[in-house]
Amino acid sequence: MENFFLKLSIMLVPALMAITCHEVSHGFIADRLGDRTARFMGRLTLNPLKHLDLFGTLMVFIVGIGWAKPVPVNFGNLRNPKRDMVWVAAAGPITNFTLAFLSAMAMRGLAAAGSMLPDSSSLQMALDPIVLMLAFSVYINLLLGIFNLIPVPPLDGGRVAVGLLPYRQAEALARFEPYGMIVIILLVFFTNIFEKVISPVVDLGISILAGPQSGLVYSVTHFLMR
């Protein structure tokens, strides 16, 4: 039980920030491009309680990836629906990659500063949990950003593809959306897409962003996910 609360204390804030900022960014860009739906429904807020999906949040702690309640977007309200759909959909992964970058830079800076402090100092003990949370933030934001780029609607990558494809192909892919979650579940649980595709890309992102602190990111996520 003590181990559970230790893991929860490290994972909770980065996970909530990752999925909340992801969803808010969709609504924010849609709002800027003409659709006020998210604003009218009170979803343009960083309060995670407004976005929390209980099952999606639990999945972060069970399998390492989760989701929030989707921010409502009425693509028909956008000034140029087909073009603007690309920006609204891409906003989520871009936000996650930005958070991963910022977390990595902060983690590397704090880890370097901490290495110059005595192990038993109060400042070192205060820095340690922050560094661990930042390490997990690098991982979870890279994972969410990359996973959401899978070109299957309703994932963001699928909606970006709908916006970029010629009309006939875009229409065919958009019709596929009601069945998209079934395909995604099959891909995640019954294929090796994580091992063969997603994990190698996440590893590349970690090595680029975390640099000499990559080992810390791996050790933290290994501890949290086991």
Side-chain angles (χ1 to χ4, degrees):
M1 184 60 72
E2 183 179 334
N3 219 24
F4 169 78
F5 285 111
L6 175 59
K7 292 181 179 181
L8 185 65
S9 67
I10 297 170
M11 297 173 73
L12 187 61
V13 172
L16 288 179
M17 282 291 294
I19 59 180
T20 298
C21 290
H22 179 105
E23 291 301 333
V24 171
S25 67
H26 289 313
F28 175 78
I29 297 300
D31 186 72
R32 300 286 291 181
L33 295 175
D35 177 39
R36 304 288 188 262
T37 306
R39 180 179 296 278
F40 293 151
M41 296 185 70
R43 296 292 301 278
L44 291 187
T45 173
L46 290 175
N47 178 0
L49 297 178
K50 293 284 188 178
H51 307 283
L52 204 61
D53 179 288
L54 182 58
F55 184 67
T57 304
L58 287 174
M59 290 299 285
V60 173
F61 304 104
I62 297 170
V63 298
I65 190 165
W67 55 88
K69 291 185 292 187
V71 165
V73 176
N74 186 338
F75 292 103
N77 290 338
L78 299 173
R79 287 189 282 272
N80 186 327
K82 194 170 188 302
R83 181 199 66 196
D84 294 346
M85 177 191 300
V86 174
W87 294 109
V88 173
I94 289 172
T95 296
N96 287 130
F97 294 140
T98 302
L99 288 172
F101 172 78
L102 295 175
S103 297
M105 295 304 101
M107 177 192 68
R108 292 171 70 166
L110 290 178
S115 67
M116 296 184 288
L117 297 171
D119 290 340
S120 58
S121 71
S122 57
L123 185 54
Q124 175 69 66
M125 289 188 287
L127 284 179
D128 282 347
I130 298 173
V131 171
L132 296 179
M133 285 190 284
L134 289 168
F136 182 67
S137 180
V138 174
Y139 169 79
I140 194 64
N141 278 290
L142 282 174
L143 179 59
L144 284 174
I146 291 163
F147 181 80
N148 273 282
L149 287 179
I150 295 174
V152 177
L155 292 182
D156 300 326
R159 288 180 172 161
V160 168
V162 169
L164 293 176
L165 287 170
Y167 181 79
R168 184 174 296 177
Q169 291 86 343
E171 190 177 47
L173 184 58
R175 283 199 217 103
F176 186 71
E177 181 160 337
Y179 316 102
M181 284 309 299
I182 297 172
V183 173
I184 293 162
I185 290 168
L186 291 174
L187 285 173
V188 170
F189 292 103
F190 298 100
T191 74
N192 56 3
I193 187 172
F194 261 94
E195 179 186 349
K196 297 297 185 181
V197 180
I198 295 174
S199 289
V201 181
V202 171
D203 289 343
L204 177 62
I206 290 172
S207 66
I208 292 171
L209 294 181
Q213 299 299 331
S214 296
L216 175 61
V217 177
Y218 288 123
S219 63
V220 169
T221 53
H222 177 73
F223 166 70
L224 296 174
M225 294 293 106
R226 69 183 180 186

